[in-house]
Amino acid sequence: MKIEIVHDLVCPWCYLGIRRLIRTLRRRPDIAFELIWRPFLLNPDMPRLGMARPDYVVRKFGGEDRARRLYATITDVGRQEGLTFRFDRIRRTPSSIDAHRLVRFAAGYGVADNLVEALFAAHFCNGQDIGEHAVLAGIATACGIDSHLVRAFLASDDETEAVHADNLRAHRLGINGVPCFVVDGMHAIAGAQEPEVIERLLDIATVDSVRF
């Protein structure tokens, strides 16, 4: 079963939704699956150097009060999933293009799944700037990729066009919110759904795969 995960690495709901998806898959050993990571740019016009968090909050939410209420909700939900969101540690909102590029690069080494988890944790739990190449290189190296290869890749423009192409493809498919899970190219579900909802989708996809 191929599961395409359309996501952005600066989206807290994606972190929650993906955690729920993986938790659901782990309790279904009868399902063999492959995760395919597809980028979605929530902030396509974000400068590559990112933006100071206060400026981003005003632009995105209209002000600190609204953002604080939203973050409190996400933090409460995250706690139930074993995630410790620390929005107070985030000083800059990064462009996610280089992080998405790095995930594509990591897929060639078989560590994309681990890298995605590490990138989410770095940003949302530790407040690290995952737009900085030094931060990205450290995370990728910890996931087992040679640091020299990672730094050379990040210094290039490799996979940049592919990230933009996947983002455009998602919009053309009608995906305008993330996370979105597409199973075997036939079934899709959007949002940080409860595990029971995800499991029903997997069951439907399993039945259809047998039928066809």
Side-chain angles (χ1 to χ4, degrees):
M1 179 180 290
K2 295 185 181 296
I3 304 175
E4 296 179 73
I5 302 178
V6 186
H7 70 294
D8 199 350
L9 292 155
V10 294
C11 169
W13 293 112
C14 288
Y15 194 10
L16 282 165
I18 291 167
R19 173 61 65 94
R20 286 173 170 173
L21 170 67
I22 293 175
R23 178 158 64 88
T24 303
L25 288 167
R26 283 175 176 165
R27 70 186 192 194
R28 290 296 300 272
D30 56 305
I31 298 177
F33 63 90
E34 175 188 0
L35 303 182
I36 302 170
W37 302 97
R38 301 291 190 194
F40 187 94
L41 302 177
L42 285 172
N43 306 305
D45 58 345
M46 176 68 69
R48 287 296 284 269
L49 294 178
M51 180 181 294
R53 190 69 174 184
D55 296 336
Y56 173 77
V57 165
V58 169
R59 190 179 77 163
K60 189 77 172 180
F61 305 109
E64 183 67 33
D65 287 344
R66 184 181 174 196
R68 189 179 296 110
R69 289 193 298 270
L70 176 62
Y71 292 158
T73 298
I74 294 171
T75 299
D76 287 342
V77 177
R79 193 175 296 113
Q80 298 170 26
E81 295 296 328
L83 301 176
T84 304
F85 283 95
R86 289 297 305 268
F87 293 101
D88 58 305
R89 293 179 175 175
I90 301 174
R91 295 291 177 259
R92 293 188 67 79
T93 296
S95 164
S96 58
I97 291 176
D98 286 332
H100 282 302
R101 289 175 55 225
L102 189 59
V103 172
R104 295 180 67 89
F105 181 68
Y109 294 87
V111 295
D113 298 359
N114 291 339
L115 180 66
V116 168
E117 170 65 26
L119 288 169
F120 275 128
H123 181 59
F124 287 113
C125 303
N126 301 326
Q128 291 180 275
D129 184 349
I130 59 170
E132 287 190 5
H133 285 190
V135 171
L136 291 173
I139 295 170
T141 300
C143 288
I145 308 177
D146 180 87
S147 62
H148 297 292
L149 295 177
V150 173
R151 291 179 184 277
F153 170 78
L154 289 171
S156 74
D157 288 325
D158 292 355
E159 302 292 354
T160 300
E161 289 187 9
V163 169
H164 286 293
D166 267 354
N167 179 61
L168 181 60
R169 171 179 174 267
H171 285 283
R172 286 177 173 170
L173 290 173
I175 298 172
N176 51 31
V178 287
C180 182
F181 308 129
V182 183
V183 181
D184 284 339
M186 298 174 60
H187 305 279
I189 190 170
Q193 300 289 344
E194 295 289 344
E196 293 76 17
V197 177
I198 297 172
E199 191 158 17
R200 284 199 295 272
L201 174 70
L202 297 176
D203 286 337
I204 291 170
T206 301
V207 170
D208 284 350
S209 67
V210 172
R211 182 182 305 161
F212 294 105

